[in-house]
Amino acid sequence: MYSIIQKICEKHNKILKEGLEKVLKGADISSLTSAIADFTNEMGKDLLAEIVKQIDELVFEDSKRQKEYESVRFGERKYITQNGKTKFERRYYEDKETGEHIYLTDKILGIDKGERIDKKVKSEIISRANDQSYKKSGKGVVPNVEISGTTVMRNVRKNDWKMEIEEKKEEDKIKAKTIYIQVDEDHIKQRKKKGCTISKIVTIYTGKRQLTRAEKEEKVVQIRRELVNKFTFSGLYKDNQELWEDVVYYIDCTYNKETIENIFIMGDGANYIKEGLNWIPNSVFVLDLFHLEKYINHLNYDEELKKKLQLAIEQYDPISTENIMNEAIERIKKEITEDKQLGRDTKRLENRLKKIEDTKTYFINQWSGIEAHDKYKDKLTGCCQEGQVHHTLSERMSTDAKVWSEEGIDEMSQLRAFTQNGGDVYAKIIDISTAEKREKKIEELEKRIKRKAKRKILGTTGVKIPSLTEARGELYYELKKMWYGIAI
């Protein structure tokens, strides 16, 4: 290994010399640090190519391989690594038994078919794409290489970002009396489609706690609150059954059922949200206050009626609420009749009438969710799903009028939830890459080659490594020659 590194060092030594010369002629030290970075990147690319070459030779020389695979030709691969873009050659083989063609060296090194970007680099661009545009995510990750936005997008979409849920041991399951399930959606503009596409989001947690920090004074100042045991699902979820199956499975795997006393499903009352009541036994729907306030504000045009409506709802009085809405409807109808008699345009009033009628229907249909605030007031902590929607989806997908494909909406929603749940992008890529089991004979070949590589490539027998003292002396004389202008 050291002899390989020595050859590569000698090949790129000119880069370091030029950096040293600039500094000695008065340039800032950044000239040297840049030269060192270029030197290590060039060295890294050449070192990878050389190691691939030597492993390929070990595969070719393997006697058992010769009985199972026949070498057909060499194939070149361009590969983007953390050091930059490099290329290497390795042999293409034909399986004598099945006729299948394969790059055995790629299999041993864990390089997937058609893979052009190192998995570490992939994980970096995908992690960046989680927070910024695909185009920006491909810039500055690899020295002197710009990865296109299209390539970043393809790497995001080719992976399944659903978090793998493992069942906890019974003694490790969370013991909670109350579970809160917040459900909402974001409306995202879809390419070549009128209107918006809905991406759904479910947040499961067991409570809220304040995050604090100590100030210079003795008192503690509240900064913000966080959700306890938070877990998020997100995606298109066109099939509501799939959504609630995921939620139920997560609860079964994570929580101790014997300790659960209440499960609250909170949201705006959409049918797909209330469907959760059929999936989760003894669950209760709670209308979130954000949407309740939104519908109350539909009466903003009449402050008198709005105050009466607010009071009726605060007193959880369904009869008064319905009567107030009927009064509002009758008033609008009267205005429409009067305006028609005077020959005025009534379109605005007719739109308002439709809105108020829909509001009345909404209050009637969601009344049990409104009453739940009174019935369970000691257990409810308030719904913060609008904040979760913004933080998880809107911040990346619907702000500044971004436009997405349907597939892009689903994958990015899943990725955002995956990272918020603490998912490791690099580990996920590796899991996906190795999901398919290798053939037994390739596994055996891999073991043999790794043993040989350890001896041949990593072995140091017979290689003279300069001591630290010798290396210091060489560097001293090199600098001295430059200082006196002897070196070119």
Side-chain angles (χ1 to χ4, degrees):
M1 173 63 81
Y2 291 105
S3 60
I4 297 171
I5 294 172
Q6 207 166 26
K7 288 178 183 177
I8 296 171
C9 281
E10 290 170 1
K11 177 182 175 183
H12 299 293
N13 201 32
K14 185 181 177 183
I15 297 173
L16 286 179
K17 283 186 176 181
E18 289 174 352
L20 278 168
E21 285 177 343
K22 287 179 181 178
V23 170
L24 294 175
K25 288 178 181 178
D28 186 81
I29 194 171
S30 59
S31 299
L32 179 56
T33 57
S34 296
I36 292 170
D38 291 341
F39 172 78
T40 53
N41 286 330
E42 291 299 321
M43 183 173 170
K45 290 188 291 184
D46 283 4
L47 186 57
L48 174 65
E50 185 62 33
I51 290 173
V52 172
K53 179 182 176 182
Q54 294 210 22
I55 289 177
D56 192 63
E57 285 299 319
L58 291 174
V59 173
F60 182 70
E61 294 167 1
D62 186 75
S63 57
K64 196 168 182 181
R65 186 282 308 163
Q66 293 171 7
K67 296 175 183 177
E68 297 171 338
Y69 296 92
E70 182 178 352
S71 176
V72 177
R73 59 179 171 80
F74 277 95
E76 184 181 80
R77 169 154 292 185
K78 293 178 181 177
Y79 202 63
I80 297 175
T81 71
Q82 291 170 291
N83 298 112
K85 186 183 287 186
T86 188
K87 60 183 178 180
F88 48 79
E89 283 191 337
R90 66 271 190 264
R91 291 176 176 84
Y92 199 41
Y93 292 94
E94 180 180 346
D95 190 320
K96 292 181 179 180
E97 183 181 349
T98 65
E100 179 191 5
H101 288 80
I102 188 172
Y103 287 105
L104 290 174
T105 301
D106 287 4
K107 283 285 184 183
I108 290 167
L109 293 171
I111 300 174
D112 297 334
K113 187 177 181 180
E115 188 174 60
R116 295 288 181 271
I117 303 176
D118 174 71
K119 292 179 180 65
K120 266 292 182 185
V121 176
K122 279 185 191 177
S123 69
E124 177 62 24
I125 62 175
I126 290 170
S127 296
R128 289 185 175 203
N130 183 57
D131 298 313
Q132 60 188 20
S133 71
Y134 293 138
K135 187 175 181 180
K136 290 180 181 176
S137 301
K139 294 180 178 178
V141 180
V142 177
N144 304 315
V145 176
E146 184 175 319
I147 300 170
S148 71
T150 303
T151 301
V152 177
M153 177 188 71
R154 285 173 181 165
N155 278 282
V156 170
R157 293 188 188 175
K158 73 192 293 186
N159 299 297
D160 177 12
W161 296 108
K162 276 192 176 181
M163 180 75 84
E164 294 295 327
I165 299 168
E166 295 182 1
E167 183 168 8
K168 294 184 177 182
K169 294 179 180 178
E170 202 60 39
E171 60 269 23
D172 295 331
K173 288 186 176 181
I174 298 171
K175 294 178 180 179
K177 289 184 178 181
T178 306
I179 297 176
Y180 303 91
I181 304 172
Q182 295 181 168
V183 191
D184 207 342
E185 70 273 340
D186 192 20
H187 298 262
I188 301 164
K189 289 188 178 181
Q190 184 178 329
R191 190 178 295 116
K192 298 179 182 178
K193 179 184 175 181
K194 290 183 179 179
C196 295
T197 295
I198 290 174
S199 181
K200 298 169 184 173
I201 174 172
V202 179
T203 307
I204 304 170
Y205 62 99
T206 57
K208 296 178 181 178
R209 64 178 167 222
Q210 291 182 181
L211 294 181
T212 59
R213 65 182 172 86
E215 296 291 312
K216 289 181 180 179
E217 298 81 15
E218 292 183 2
K219 65 178 182 178
V220 175
V221 180
Q222 178 183 335
I223 303 301
R224 62 188 177 92
R225 302 176 82 190
E226 70 170 1
L227 303 182
V228 181
N229 298 316
K230 175 187 167 187
F231 192 89
T232 303
F233 292 97
S234 189
L236 292 180
Y237 280 111
K238 290 183 176 181
D239 184 355
N240 293 330
Q241 178 176 332
E242 182 188 356
L243 172 68
W244 287 109
E245 281 178 348
D246 283 353
V247 172
V248 170
Y249 181 69
Y250 172 75
I251 292 174
D252 287 345
C253 291
T254 310
Y255 290 92
N256 185 319
K257 290 183 180 180
E258 294 179 2
T259 64
I260 299 172
E261 295 177 0
N262 299 104
I263 297 180
F264 297 112
I265 299 175
M266 299 178 287
D268 61 8
N271 289 334
Y272 82 89
I273 297 175
K274 284 188 169 181
E275 193 176 320
L277 299 173
N278 300 323
W279 284 87
I280 302 174
N282 303 318
S283 57
V284 176
F285 172 71
V286 181
L287 182 67
D288 80 78
L289 295 176
F290 174 85
H291 286 91
L292 178 59
E293 188 67 27
K294 176 183 172 183
Y295 277 86
I296 291 174
N297 287 336
H298 287 173
L299 268 70
N300 275 341
Y301 67 91
D302 191 324
E303 282 298 322
E304 178 199 350
L305 282 178
K306 181 182 174 183
K307 287 179 181 177
K308 287 168 67 177
L309 177 63
Q310 283 177 320
L311 182 60
I313 289 176
E314 286 171 4
Q315 294 175 345
Y316 302 102
D317 184 348
I319 295 174
S320 295
T321 299
E322 187 173 356
N323 288 339
I324 292 165
M325 295 308 300
N326 286 335
E327 184 181 349
I329 291 168
E330 290 305 315
R331 286 188 185 184
I332 298 170
K333 285 181 177 179
K334 185 179 178 181
E335 283 187 62
I336 291 173
T337 302
E338 290 174 352
D339 281 6
K340 280 183 177 180
Q341 290 174 349
L342 295 170
R344 294 173 180 169
D345 184 10
T346 60
K347 187 175 180 180
R348 179 180 59 83
L349 287 172
E350 286 169 356
N351 289 338
R352 179 181 290 173
L353 176 63
K354 174 70 168 59
K355 189 175 186 178
I356 297 304
E357 286 175 337
D358 289 344
T359 301
K360 173 190 170 183
T361 302
Y362 183 81
F363 286 141
I364 292 170
N365 291 341
Q366 308 299 337
W367 194 257
S368 63
I370 296 172
E371 281 189 322
H373 285 279
D374 183 40
K375 188 175 180 180
Y376 300 99
K377 57 188 173 186
D378 295 333
K379 297 179 179 178
L380 295 175
T381 60
C383 182
C384 58
Q385 192 63 354
E386 287 300 315
Q388 297 301 316
V389 170
H390 175 76
H391 183 56
T392 306
L393 300 176
S394 306
E395 196 173 61
R396 174 69 175 90
M397 303 176 71
S398 59
T399 307
D400 301 328
K402 294 183 176 71
V403 180
W404 299 77
S405 68
E406 186 173 88
E407 183 185 2
I409 293 171
D410 195 35
E411 290 295 337
M412 184 53 68
S413 298
Q414 289 181 32
L415 176 60
R416 295 279 290 181
F418 176 83
T419 54
Q420 284 192 26
N421 290 331
D424 186 324
V425 173
Y426 176 65
K428 183 73 169 177
I429 291 172
I430 295 296
D431 287 345
I432 294 167
S433 175
T434 57
E436 295 181 6
K437 291 183 179 179
R438 298 176 181 174
E439 292 182 32
K440 190 174 180 180
K441 59 184 177 182
I442 294 180
E443 288 181 346
E444 291 174 352
L445 173 64
E446 180 183 4
K447 289 176 184 177
R448 294 197 304 273
I449 297 304
K450 283 183 176 178
R451 284 197 300 268
K452 293 176 182 177
K454 191 173 182 181
R455 291 195 304 269
K456 185 172 181 180
I457 301 176
L458 299 179
T460 59
T461 307
V463 179
K464 183 180 183 299
I465 307 300
S467 67
L468 189 60
T469 307
E470 291 172 328
R472 189 188 299 124
E474 289 176 10
L475 178 60
Y476 171 78
Y477 286 112
E478 191 71 37
L479 286 169
K480 189 175 180 180
K481 286 197 299 184
M482 288 182 183
W483 183 258
Y484 289 107
I486 298 171
I488 298 173

